[in-house]
Amino acid sequence: MHTAYDKPRTRALRGSQPARNLARWPSAARGWLAALIALAAASLHGAELHIGNGGEPLTLDPHRYNLRLEQTILGDLFEGLTTVDAKGRIVPGAAERWETSDDGLTWTFHLRKDGRWSDGKPVTAHDFVYSLRRLLNPATAASLAYFLYPIAGAEAINAGNEPPEALGVQASDDHTLQIHLAKPFPFFAERLFYPTGSPVPEHVVAEHGDDWVKAGNLVTNGAFVLDEWVPQGHVRLRRNPAWRDAESMQLEAVTYHPTSDRSAAYNRFLSGELDIIGDFPPGEIARLQAERGDETHLSPLLSIMYLVFNTTAKPFDDARVRRALALAVNRELITGRVLRSGELPSHSFVPPLVAGFESKIAPRAPDPATARALLAAAGYDEDNPLEITLRHIAGDDNKTVQVAIASMWKAIGVSTRLHHADLASHFAALRQGDFEVAEAGWFGENNPEHYLELLMSATGDVNYGRFQDADYDSLMQRAKATVSLSERIALMQQAEVRGLSLDPVVPLYSVTIRSLVRKGVRGWQANPRNVHPARFLAD
């Protein structure tokens, strides 16, 4: 497939003097030149990048995704009303503009008139009405449906108490979409760039059912389409010629490789097999910065890594036990001596990088003596030691951190068994509540609600520990009903203090992204969301 700017170069190659006189050259030179011409001709079809993506996607249905590695692929395939630019900033996507009513409850989106599905059909406001209803329909079983609970009727629909048609969305015409919120949500434009806000093609879903996401069936509205998906092998995307800005793209294809083994991914990068990887062993930082400084990128991520307690399982339903384990953890030791790659220790659940939010959580120094006293009060001592299982994601980095935490707990008389699993299996267990204590993480948004919602009882299965507290819920609900951003922030600050006083989670640190980007790859820009849409990349 050629775009307009490819064709003149193709004609120039075909009419070149070396090509016409190739038969007169010596055989060795002919072979060399033929290979060069073939390589040049191949380049005219557009470059392809190979990117390590952390693991195997479980789905490419944007309404059923849960993993960050799935979000990366889906961001190339689909485009919501809003999207991100190369620097991770929220910008217009399928909608070219929008406005908000004075009370913050009605958002009107004006869709681009040149929006097309990859099969050529127009993308309309009706597609978004269908898709938002599908997302909230409990039959879809979308674990992240709560992302769009701000929409009027969304929570009741998702709980099965109202029909999908009761959702506060309507198409005024083919290119005008109105979304009515139940309560003001000033961060709504940011929330819509996630795959949960993406449109899906009703005509394709109706024809293929759950098989609509398979290669050959999948129809998208983003910059790329699905070329092939080889389980545990790769997901290859190719440029979507129907996308509104396809002619400006430099890549013809991008292939995502599951790279759950960080060391293996690192070796594949060094061998030239992968062009970009999003992680590498921290012990290699100094050498890479010295030898491959222009390919090595360290950048802070909007994120929080934390431990979560299953508050429905004994003894973690006892706040004294949770507090004891929390008081034994030394975050500064974890970031300074164990990880050693620039991670920021965090005592708050809202990441320090979130703009406009100053946490009121007072840092707590490790206090083993108080921790032991709390355990004793809960019935655990040398004669009856607490024995727990700590689940974590497989990988040397994660294991090292969890071993350090287990050592800290051993110092207060707790015996810890470590249990590891691949990323997808790990978070599936967390969503099912199949754990005692577990490593967890949450990335992405530059607003405090994105993180504090995880502790609300109505959030669903990504409130992994099933934490419930009426006072916390009340503060968050009051915040969500407040139009004034400053008052909203103040209520969320109070909610965070209340929630963490009960220790349902142990905040640990914000992640530093360690990336390697092959020299020659253009368009990759470090940003606090760590999003790098392939449409901006070039080789």
Side-chain angles (χ1 to χ4, degrees):
M1 171 175 40
H2 297 285
T3 60
Y5 59 77
D6 288 325
K7 294 176 182 176
R9 289 184 291 165
T10 305
R11 288 195 295 269
L13 177 67
R14 289 174 179 169
S16 64
Q17 183 69 23
R20 290 201 305 268
N21 296 332
L22 183 59
R24 302 178 185 176
W25 286 48
S27 59
R30 288 201 306 269
W32 175 85
L33 187 58
L36 183 63
I37 292 173
L39 181 62
S43 72
L44 299 181
H45 291 266
E48 177 172 355
L49 291 178
H50 293 264
I51 300 176
N53 194 35
E56 175 71 13
L58 299 181
T59 182
L60 291 181
D61 185 329
H63 296 164
R64 289 174 167 150
Y65 94 102
N66 187 266
L67 302 175
R68 177 61 185 268
L69 63 93
E70 294 163 345
Q71 179 184 325
T72 297
I73 300 172
L74 291 168
D76 286 338
L77 292 171
F78 294 91
E79 183 174 62
L81 293 165
T82 64
T83 185
V84 292
D85 65 11
K87 294 182 178 180
R89 298 172 298 198
I90 301 298
V91 296
E96 61 183 1
R97 59 186 173 88
W98 60 87
E99 59 259 4
T100 310
S101 61
D102 291 341
D103 62 5
L105 296 179
T106 301
W107 292 60
T108 303
F109 294 87
H110 302 276
L111 272 63
R112 300 177 189 274
K113 291 182 172 57
D114 57 354
R116 293 287 183 274
W117 293 105
S118 54
D119 63 2
K121 295 182 181 296
V123 175
T124 71
H126 305 283
D127 291 317
F128 280 93
V129 171
Y130 163 76
S131 300
L132 292 171
R133 289 174 176 174
R134 177 181 186 264
L135 171 77
L136 277 307
N137 190 329
T140 303
S143 66
L144 298 180
Y146 84 94
F147 272 19
L148 292 177
Y149 276 8
I151 301 176
E155 188 170 352
I157 292 166
N158 198 230
N161 298 326
E162 294 285 349
E165 292 73 23
L167 189 66
V169 295
Q170 64 187 60
S172 303
D173 55 48
D174 283 353
H175 298 101
T176 309
L177 178 73
Q178 280 198 333
I179 300 181
H180 306 283
L181 305 187
K183 300 173 183 178
F185 185 49
F187 313 109
F188 193 53
E190 181 177 17
R191 185 59 57 87
L192 290 172
F193 99 92
Y194 288 100
T196 45
S198 295
V200 299
E202 182 178 8
H203 61 288
V204 179
V205 176
E207 179 180 357
H208 297 288
D210 287 345
D211 288 340
W212 80 277
V213 296
K214 292 184 177 180
N217 296 341
L218 186 60
V219 170
T220 71
N221 77 317
F224 290 85
V225 294
L226 179 62
D227 187 45
E228 61 179 358
W229 180 2
V230 178
Q232 301 300 327
H234 62 263
V235 176
R236 186 177 190 270
L237 314 181
R238 55 183 171 79
R239 179 166 45 176
N240 175 12
W243 187 58
R244 57 183 169 81
D245 203 20
E247 291 192 0
S248 72
M249 292 166 55
Q250 300 296 304
L251 290 185
E252 182 65 30
V254 57
T255 298
Y256 289 103
H257 299 260
T259 50
S260 56
D261 186 326
R262 180 187 57 202
S263 295
Y266 175 59
N267 289 329
R268 292 174 71 182
F269 177 86
L270 294 181
S271 70
E273 185 180 346
L274 296 178
D275 299 299
I276 301 172
I277 59 173
D279 195 12
F280 59 82
E284 300 294 332
I285 292 176
R287 186 178 71 82
L288 286 168
Q289 288 179 325
E291 299 178 6
R292 293 175 176 250
D294 54 352
E295 296 182 320
T296 305
H297 302 267
L298 303 180
S299 59
L301 178 69
L302 277 164
S303 61
I304 187 69
M305 295 299 297
Y306 60 100
L307 298 177
V308 57
F309 298 108
N310 187 340
T311 63
T312 65
K314 291 186 178 299
F316 309 103
D317 58 344
D318 188 332
R320 295 172 298 182
V321 172
R322 302 196 299 266
R323 171 64 61 86
L325 295 171
L327 284 173
V329 173
N330 187 329
R331 298 161 177 81
E332 285 71 22
L333 188 150
I334 290 171
T335 57
R337 295 188 182 181
V338 178
L339 293 171
R340 296 181 297 171
S341 53
E343 286 79 6
L344 300 173
S346 181
H347 293 263
S348 62
F349 198 52
V350 177
L353 285 176
V354 170
F357 186 86
E358 182 181 349
S359 177
K360 301 302 182 182
I361 298 297
R364 289 191 309 210
D367 189 350
T370 300
R372 284 191 291 267
L374 286 167
L375 286 177
Y380 297 98
D381 53 25
E382 291 183 1
D383 297 326
N384 182 37
L386 176 61
E387 298 180 355
I388 63 178
T389 298
L390 171 57
R391 281 184 174 266
H392 67 93
I393 304 164
D396 294 342
D397 232 14
N398 289 324
K399 182 177 180 180
T400 303
V401 170
Q402 310 315 316
V403 166
I405 291 171
S407 177
M408 296 169 191
W409 286 346
K410 183 178 180 180
I412 62 170
V414 175
S415 175
T416 305
R417 173 181 174 267
L418 297 181
H419 176 91
H420 71 267
D422 65 86
L423 185 143
S425 300
H426 176 79
F427 281 102
L430 266 60
R431 292 193 298 274
Q432 294 162 11
D434 182 19
F435 71 98
E436 294 182 339
V437 188
E439 171 196 29
W442 205 244
F443 308 156
E445 279 192 25
N446 192 22
N447 78 74
E449 285 180 55
H450 183 62
Y451 307 91
L452 295 175
E453 281 178 326
L454 294 174
L455 300 181
M456 294 182 69
S457 58
T459 290
D461 60 10
V462 292
N463 176 352
Y464 302 126
R466 279 48 172 184
F467 173 67
Q468 294 188 44
D469 178 67
D471 290 339
Y472 183 85
D473 285 346
S474 176
L475 285 164
M476 286 298 295
Q477 292 293 358
R478 286 170 57 196
K480 287 174 172 291
T482 302
V483 178
S484 166
L485 185 57
S486 61
E487 293 177 14
R488 193 180 185 102
I489 293 294
L491 286 166
M492 286 190 285
Q493 289 169 331
Q494 295 176 46
E496 184 183 40
V497 170
R498 170 62 187 177
L500 292 195
S501 73
L502 299 173
D503 298 285
V505 294
V506 183
L508 296 174
Y509 57 88
S510 289
V511 173
T512 290
I513 295 296
R514 301 185 294 266
S515 301
L516 288 173
V517 181
R518 179 178 55 77
K519 187 177 181 179
V521 173
R522 292 174 286 121
W524 193 97
Q525 296 191 48
N527 62 77
R529 294 184 196 275
N530 193 36
V531 290
H532 308 282
R535 64 184 180 272
F536 298 117
L537 301 179
D539 188 11

